[in-house]
Amino acid sequence: MSVLPSLGTLLHPSQFFSFKGVHPDPRKHLSSEHEIEVMPVPTLIRLPLQQHIGAEAEPIVERDDLVLKGQLIAKARGPVSANIHAPTSGRVIAVGHFTAPHPSGLPVPTITIRPDGEDKWGARLPRIRPEDASPEEIAAQVAAAGIVGMGGATFPSAVKLNLRAKYDLHTLVINGAECEPYLTCDDRLMRERAEEIADGIGIMGRALGVKNIIVAIESNKPQAIEVMSRYNRALDYTFQIKVVPTQYPMGSEKHLVRLLTGKETPARALTADLGVVVHNVATAHAVHNAVRYGEPLISRIVTVSGRAIKRPANVKVMIGTPMSEVIDHCGGFTEEPDRLLLGGPMMGQPISNRRVPIVKGANGILALAKSETPGSDVMPCIRCGRCVQSCPVGLTPFEMNARIQADDLDGAAKIGLMDCLTCGCCAYTCPGNIPLVQTFHFAKGKLAEKQSRKHQAEETKRLAEARKAREAAIAEAKRQMMLKRKAEMEAKKKAAAEKAAAEAAEAEPAMQQTQGEANS
């Protein structure tokens, strides 16, 4: 019997399958009542070639090329990758490297465009009718549009839509939880674009071939719940609107599926193994635009918030717009921010260079005043266990941290490091302000590097062994060829000798007769 709430209603939290987490101050009021506004064309566009999980895109334009809005400028490379398109018309002024929107501040391959101000569209993708299109055609259109998961994971959406070929799927979950504090871009999108989102949901449902669709929205978004409940049907689907408790990290797809279905996704497995696929509401909106209008993913809604921002807002921004220009559009700072983040306060990336661009997975810019940030003094771990009590995955963060500090990365991996969501619950509850999330990110990076070196060494060894085997095979083939030729030569010599002997034997009587006649 189902324990899920009926359409648009909320059950008591005890009636859900629960998980651990935290309840940070949402602080969504700063921007939640600000309607989506469209930012003008920026003065510069910078497009990193890797705005998605997987292989970086391959540039197909060169410096001084003129490009039009929506034009493909970097194509997907490999099975897990995503196309990149020009967000506006202009001239390519560089195909090189620029600072990544990442705490490392390292340069990454980037295409830089100087807009011409005309914002002129080029040829759009051919529109398709989802009612008549096959699942393969829909997935191909989504791939061509360069759509990725817009909740922050940035997994290429077409890859997920093609999971029907490998898994027995029955349910599509649309994630409208938006559990990170401050962020309200998905909330506003549902309130203002519900009909378009619903159409995108129906299109994705058709592509996946599922029977059920659930739209999960946290209880602190009553207007979004009400509007989405009015637009709960598209194509051949009627959606269930499930109102879930307000808790972090409700937006984690494995935890959302656990809460809605009671089924737990095994470690290192996918929700697809349970027959469930999860997509974000903004992704559904992008799918609608791509399929119905042939528009690639060239812009997104971004929440600009924090008490250091003069005018908090939800802004439609072109992908590649410098963060500094978005901040200026919102009036700049009221004070120098104590912390500047790209994303939410729990999982967002600290940014030092304000010229870094907005990318496909960037759902927020937060300028936090000193009063909004925890103290910076780090104290030793007292093993209080608060991090354990809050970890939604059931790990022991303090023990993982201790092993990492002792340079025992393999030991940290053995007790679950690679299962860590880096959601920030442990750091949020830590009374010692220990930077646990940064430590886990660092350790995962080092392990990935170590694994990469190990894989490279194994691959080098395999190639060397393969080369040795090829050389041995070639040498053996040559030896066999020489033996064959030698045998053939010996056979020819033997045959020639036998022929000569036979001819001599045939000629001997005649010679004897001739000799006899000569003697007589």
Side-chain angles (χ1 to χ4, degrees), residues 52 120 313 419 459 477 509:
H52 48 266
K120 184 178 179 181
D419 294 321
E459 186 67 7

Side-chain angles (χ1 to χ4, degrees), residues 167-287:
Y167 298 91
D168 183 17
L169 304 177
H170 53 74
T171 301
L172 167 62
V173 172
I174 299 299
N175 188 348
E178 197 171 41
C179 58
E180 280 260 21
Y182 291 95
L183 301 185
T184 58
C185 53
D186 286 352
D187 181 16
R188 290 305 316 185
L189 192 62
M190 287 187 284
R191 290 160 70 172
E192 298 181 36
R193 307 281 191 274
E195 188 172 10
E196 297 170 5
I197 292 171
D199 183 63
I201 293 171
I203 293 170
M204 288 194 291
R206 180 176 178 82
L208 290 166
V210 296
K211 297 179 180 178
N212 307 306
I213 299 180
I214 301 172
V215 180
I217 309 174
E218 277 193 337
S219 59
N220 62 355
K221 302 174 182 62
Q223 296 94 334
I225 294 166
E226 193 274 328
V227 176
M228 288 300 297
S229 296
R230 293 206 308 265
Y231 295 98
N232 68 325
R233 182 173 177 80
L235 298 185
D236 297 326
Y237 294 97
T238 298
F239 320 140
Q240 292 179 296
I241 309 298
K242 301 298 183 183
V243 185
V244 297
T246 300
Q247 181 180 345
Y248 181 86
M250 186 63 69
S252 165
E253 66 172 31
K254 290 184 178 181
H255 291 85
L256 190 58
V257 170
R258 160 73 175 166
L259 181 136
L260 292 171
T261 68
K263 296 179 180 179
E264 186 170 357
T265 307
R268 316 294 171 80
L270 302 174
T271 59
D273 289 300
L274 306 179
V276 183
V277 172
V278 182
H279 280 284
N280 178 263
V281 290
T283 306
H285 187 256
V287 168

Side-chain angles (χ1 to χ4, degrees), residues 37-53:
E37 55 189 77
V38 180
M39 182 177 164
V41 177
T43 58
L44 210 62
I45 293 284
R46 291 191 176 97
L47 298 161
L49 297 182
Q50 189 157 19
Q51 303 183 41
H52 48 266
I53 290 176

Side-chain angles (χ1 to χ4, degrees), residues 7-78:
L7 181 63
T9 62
L10 172 67
L11 289 183
H12 188 274
S14 64
Q15 294 176 277
F16 282 99
F17 294 96
S18 62
F19 58 86
K20 294 180 182 178
V22 294
H23 296 83
D25 185 351
R27 301 182 182 180
K28 295 179 181 286
H29 65 281
L30 296 173
S31 60
S32 63
E33 300 311 308
H34 294 272
E35 294 184 359
I36 297 170
E37 55 189 77
V38 180
M39 182 177 164
V41 177
T43 58
L44 210 62
I45 293 284
R46 291 191 176 97
L47 298 161
L49 297 182
Q50 189 157 19
Q51 303 183 41
H52 48 266
I53 290 176
E56 69 181 36
E58 180 181 0
I60 57 174
V61 293
E62 298 178 350
R63 183 176 177 178
D64 291 329
D65 283 355
L66 297 176
V67 296
L68 296 173
K69 184 173 184 176
Q71 179 179 329
L72 180 67
I73 60 173
K75 62 181 180 180
R77 179 164 46 189

Side-chain angles (χ1 to χ4, degrees), residues 83-103:
N83 289 337
I84 296 174
H85 303 77
T88 188
S89 56
R91 182 184 297 275
V92 177
I93 61 173
V95 180
H97 287 72
F98 190 75
T99 305
H102 187 271

Side-chain angles (χ1 to χ4, degrees), residues 129-167:
R129 277 181 52 83
E131 296 86 352
D132 303 325
S134 68
E136 292 78 14
E137 289 173 328
I138 294 172
Q141 182 83 343
V142 171
I147 298 174
V148 302
M150 297 177 69
T154 67
F155 194 87
S157 301
V159 178
K160 275 191 172 184
L161 292 182
N162 280 318
L163 291 177
R164 69 191 179 282
K166 186 177 179 181
Y167 298 91

